[in-house]
Amino acid sequence: MKAANEMTEILTPSRSTVFVVDDDTAMRDSLRWLLESAQLNVQTCDSAEAFLAIARPDACGCLVLDVQMPGLSGPELMDELKRRHIHLPILFLSGHGDIPTVVQAMKGGAVDFLQKPYDNAQLLERIGQALTLDADSRDARRREFLRSQRLEGLTAREREILDQVVAGRSNKEVGRKLAISYKTVEAHRGRLMRKMGAASFAELLQMMLGGRRETI
Amino acid sequence: MSAAPVVELLRRAERQEPRRPSYEASLLFEHAAMAIGHVRDRQLQRCNRRLETLFGYGPGELNQRNLQMLYPSYSDYVACGRSSGRQLERQGSCRIERLMRRRDGSLFWCQLSGQAVDVSRPSAGSVWTIEDISARKQAENALREAQAQLEQQLAEIRRRHQEDLARASRLNSMSEMAGALAHELAQPLAATLNYLHGCQLRLKQGDCTSEQLDGVISRAIQHTETAGSIVRQVHGFVRRHVPETTATDLHALIGDMLGLLDHQRRKLGVRLELLLAPAPPTVMVDALEIRQVLLNLIRNAYEAMATSPAEQRLLRIESRPLAGGRVEVTISDRGPGISPEACSQIFDAYFTTKQDGLGLGLAVCRSIIESHGGSLRVASNPEGGACFRFDLNTVMNP
């Protein structure tokens, strides 16, 4: 069972924010100007600790993170976020000599990195990708959440029939297998489609086998 | 050659046959290879042919003549007479080196050796031998000049060697710092680019006010200037340096070097404590050389603290006025400190405790401070670690 706050996160997504964490004032201020010029919503923090103080599990967007900072380092912040179930994609901005640290961090999760000095066009593109990634994974999590919730709403018989149908059996075959009439199978099937929120059999199939978000 | 044998002959002649020198004495006198004259009351009684030739006179021209004509000036004549008279009275003989004058007025160096004929009877006069020593004098002068020149060249070589060492040390610092400097430079340039790209985006979208742009462009300019100043500092450190003494704000130099090393400081998480004298001291120094000293000392302090626990990493820079218009700068770290054995060698050239250090830094620092009339010392920081202290003369405010 998922935590209550995560449920709110999934059901009411807030506006995407690019969180910039950098101890250098000039970098923070200039990145804010650049990103706001690209019409992004920006929030800056001067340390990993400051970000942790404002980070909420329902935060959505991405995290632009300097690798080397006094106090908690970028990779350490990443570990802490994982512990707190904050799944923001992270874009590391790494200086010279940070590569081993970043490689280590990349093994740990959804991260990308840009080596300084980077191109601003590149930066904006990577931030765009991170935001898409965040929206996608948020959607996936929402779909998964809805699906499991709806599955829980099915009766045992409906669940049985769903599994058979998804396995590719016709109503007739299902009736024969479960020793119930074809009509009964059809009635159950209509009900479970409604409960699962599927408009068509194709949609139901996609939902159960992991389809695209447009289908929900 | 001394006049003693001649005097002896004269004396003997006088004893045997007063007033008439023997024939052999006269022969010896006339044909001696050395100029000889008998002087009484500062008058040449007799002289040999050699003496006449030496001074450019013909036979007999100097007999019974006053000595004054052989001196460059009257005052020389008087001075020499006074000092030789005293010596003859006291010890019976004297030796003098002087410039004398030939008949044609030209001057030449002579050695005059005098011997009293009879010490108890000054009226008997004295016998003098005179030797032309101009060649020796010339050689002596040439030698002295050559020596002075050599010393000058040696001093020049020493100075150039010091300068070469100082430059080698600067180049070494810069090469060791290349990565950090690149980062230090990248930061303001990246910020500038961020501001300018932002401006471009907004201008395309037409969603900005001129006040907004003005503020952002000012910040971009400021960062570009920061980058420019870093480039200038580095350039100053690597180019050939012509020493130049100017009135300089010591605190500004400290600020410059802290700026140049800020990346390193942040990377190590070193905190900074500045306890600076309220009135910024103005010092008459070669600014680059003092920068070099500060850079070395601050870098050493940072490096010393790389292995200290994070909360202990504190660099303290203190400046305080001393009596007599001097100022003292203390740079204290909280590293492992310096062992007493290392303390005695730490300022020696080529002594280093670092893996790939040249061992030039502190030796050069000390010679720079000493050439500015100050001293550089190391002591233990009472709170743990090391502290380096140097003093300089300030320009007194009028």
Side-chain angles (χ1 to χ4, degrees), chain B residues 83-155:
Chain B
S83 75
S84 64
R86 259 202 306 274
Q87 282 188 53
L88 284 174
E89 262 178 51
R90 208 177 306 138
Q91 58 205 49
S93 69
C94 77
R95 180 173 289 213
I96 304 163
E97 283 181 12
R98 287 198 87 83
L99 268 178
M100 301 300 279
R101 188 175 56 150
R102 292 194 191 93
R103 181 185 212 167
D104 63 5
S106 61
L107 303 182
F108 68 114
W109 274 98
C110 289
Q111 180 177 284
L112 311 158
S113 306
Q115 181 87 33
V117 173
D118 187 343
V119 183
S120 58
R121 203 159 51 87
S123 59
S126 53
V127 172
W128 292 82
T129 60
I130 302 170
E131 203 180 340
D132 180 350
I133 55 163
S134 1
R136 197 187 87 205
K137 276 283 168 190
Q138 225 164 17
E140 274 174 13
N141 280 342
L143 198 67
R144 237 193 315 275
E145 242 168 75
Q147 203 172 353
Q149 227 167 39
L150 258 174
E151 266 160 24
Q152 208 178 351
Q153 278 170 2
L154 204 63

Side-chain angles (χ1 to χ4, degrees), chain B residues 261-391:
Chain B
L261 292 167
D262 200 49
H263 175 66
Q264 204 172 348
R265 183 186 67 76
R266 290 199 331 207
K267 207 167 137 179
L268 290 169
V270 175
R271 282 166 302 127
L272 207 56
E273 191 180 7
L274 290 177
L275 300 169
L276 299 182
T282 305
V283 286
M284 280 304 285
V285 295
D286 182 293
L288 176 71
E289 291 185 347
I290 300 303
R291 278 198 181 95
Q292 180 173 2
V293 170
L294 290 165
L295 184 88
N296 267 307
L297 296 181
I298 298 172
R299 274 189 74 209
N300 283 347
Y302 286 163
E303 281 168 19
M305 289 188 280
T307 50
S308 307
E311 67 280 0
Q312 225 184 69
R313 297 179 194 168
L314 175 75
L315 176 80
R316 180 189 290 156
I317 301 185
E318 230 175 315
S319 75
R320 65 187 186 97
L322 298 180
R326 299 184 73 77
V327 62
E328 182 183 73
V329 177
T330 308
I331 294 172
S332 324
D333 65 60
R334 297 276 189 85
I338 296 161
S339 69
E341 308 89 74
C343 263
S344 59
Q345 291 172 283
I346 199 161
F347 294 109
D348 295 350
Y350 310 114
F351 174 83
T352 183
T353 55
K354 295 177 192 167
Q355 195 94 67
D356 44 9
L358 285 184
L360 283 182
L362 285 175
V364 165
C365 286
R366 175 170 263 188
S367 78
I368 287 175
I369 294 296
E370 284 175 355
S371 77
H372 282 84
S375 66
L376 170 65
R377 294 172 307 268
V378 61
S380 286
N381 184 351
E383 290 150 279
C387 63
F388 286 84
R389 189 169 285 142
F390 66 85
D391 61 321

Side-chain angles (χ1 to χ4, degrees), chain A residues 161-213:
Chain A
I161 290 169
L162 174 66
D163 289 341
Q164 296 292 330
V165 167
V166 171
R169 304 212 163 83
S170 69
N171 289 355
K172 249 183 224 163
E173 285 171 314
V174 175
R176 211 175 300 133
K177 187 142 203 255
L178 299 180
I180 50 174
S181 77
Y182 164 79
K183 279 268 183 217
T184 318
V185 173
E186 222 168 34
H188 279 307
R189 189 169 161 167
R191 241 189 332 271
L192 77 88
M193 294 270 284
R194 252 196 323 282
K195 279 185 177 172
M196 290 301 289
S200 65
F201 177 63
E203 218 176 89
L204 182 72
L205 214 55
Q206 269 170 338
M207 195 186 291
M208 293 311 292
L209 300 175
R212 314 189 76 78
R213 72 186 136 127

Side-chain angles (χ1 to χ4, degrees), chain A residues 22-27 29-39 66 68-70 95-96 116-121 123-124, chain B residues 179-180 182-183 186-188 190-199 201-202 205 207-208 212-213 216 219 223 263 266-267 269:
Chain A
D22 197 316
D23 60 313
D24 187 84
T25 317
M27 286 310 288
D29 188 66
S30 64
L31 272 176
R32 169 192 287 282
W33 170 260
L34 173 69
L35 299 181
E36 282 178 354
S37 301
Q39 304 191 315
D66 193 21
Q68 275 191 353
M69 286 182 292
H96 67 101
K116 297 174 189 173
Y118 49 80
D119 202 79
N120 275 336
L123 175 72
L124 290 174
Chain B
H183 192 99
Q187 210 79 338
T192 304
L193 271 178
N194 289 345
Y195 285 128
L196 295 181
H197 277 135
C199 290
L201 282 173
R202 295 204 189 209
Q205 296 152 5
D207 79 341
C208 55
Q212 249 181 333
L213 283 187
V216 167
R219 272 174 275 170
H223 290 306
H263 175 66
R266 290 199 331 207
K267 207 167 137 179

